[in-house]
Amino acid sequence: MSAVYDCSRPESRAEGLAAAASAVRSGRLVVLPTDTVYGIGADAFDSNAVRALLRAKNRGPDMPVGVLVGSWSTIDGLVLGVPPQARALIEAFWPGDLSIVLPHAPSLRWDLGTTRGTVMLRMPLHPVALELLREVGPMAVSSANVSGQPPASNAQEAQDQLGESVSVYLDGGPSGEPVPSSIIDLTGDEPVLLRAGAVTAEAVSEVLGAPVKTPS
């Protein structure tokens, strides 16, 4: 049976974070608040857990899962290299609403879906999410909803859609406007803004010192 923890109360928050950390380490799914919308998450290095996440969302591997991290330095062990453009964007927008796509380190044994050798990374600006990530390490996280349905902006909406497929729900209150993160792809010769979300193309261009491309 799923457990729901009210993270607005210190005692319940501590209990919930401990339960969520235990669930992640055991290969189970958790729902956590982020600074955009609620997310459904699993251990990024547990392929069975990631597959369970995709099943819970009724989604296939052709729509791979991004990875949330709890610190800037975490990404150094996850990617082939961190180019200066990525460093500049991380310093400007992390923790925050910008997801960065980079080639992942070939030594990593993970299965996030059909990523073609890349990984989408973000450090969220939410205290509950950051505390969990710093406890368990990188997590594969997607929006807490069934594919085709609206993303959850609170724990109850997530529970209504995902039900018993999730072991632990961390209720951090309403997420506010359900605006997704922006996604910038740095795997090619030029940066490409794959999705315009909370961070504008103008803001990204200002940091990079040049206009960014958008998909044609």
Side-chain angles (χ1 to χ4, degrees):
M1 183 175 177
S2 302
V4 182
Y5 295 90
D6 180 0
C7 293
S8 67
R9 295 169 41 237
E11 304 84 4
S12 180
R13 173 173 167 158
E15 186 181 355
L17 284 165
S22 176
V24 172
R25 294 188 180 111
S26 301
R28 291 174 286 142
L29 305 180
V30 303
V31 158
L32 63 156
T34 79
D35 46 344
T36 54
V37 294
Y38 271 69
I40 178 174
D43 181 349
F45 299 102
D46 186 332
S47 298
N48 289 329
V50 175
R51 283 193 285 272
L53 186 159
L54 291 172
R55 284 196 301 273
K57 286 179 61 70
N58 194 26
R59 182 162 131 178
D62 55 311
M63 298 177 68
V65 185
V67 172
L68 295 187
V69 297
S71 70
W72 289 8
S73 59
T74 302
I75 74 164
D76 291 316
L78 303 179
V79 299
L80 195 56
V82 184
Q85 289 178 322
R87 292 279 184 208
L89 292 171
I90 287 168
E91 291 176 8
F93 298 113
W94 282 17
D97 301 339
L98 184 69
S99 297
I100 302 174
V101 180
L102 291 166
H104 74 68
S107 60
L108 293 181
R109 295 291 179 263
W110 60 9
D111 182 6
L112 302 169
T114 310
T115 64
R116 297 179 176 83
T118 68
V119 62
M120 183 174 72
L121 297 162
R122 188 168 81 87
M123 181 181 174
L125 181 59
H126 195 288
V128 173
L130 287 174
E131 192 167 343
L132 180 60
L133 290 163
R134 287 166 180 165
E135 177 66 25
V136 302
M139 289 180 63
V141 178
S142 181
S143 57
N145 62 294
V146 174
S147 286
Q149 298 300 313
S153 60
N154 58 59
Q156 185 60 59
E157 289 178 3
Q159 193 173 15
D160 290 343
Q161 294 195 51
L162 300 169
E164 296 297 315
S165 63
V166 171
S167 293
V168 174
Y169 289 84
L170 296 177
D171 185 349
S175 64
E177 292 297 320
V179 180
S181 68
S182 299
I183 303 174
I184 184 80
D185 185 347
L186 298 180
T187 62
D189 294 332
E190 296 180 88
V192 178
L193 191 69
L194 299 180
R195 181 174 73 192
V199 177
T200 65
E202 291 76 17
V204 173
S205 298
E206 184 176 353
V207 171
L208 296 180
V212 295
K213 286 186 172 182
T214 55
S216 54

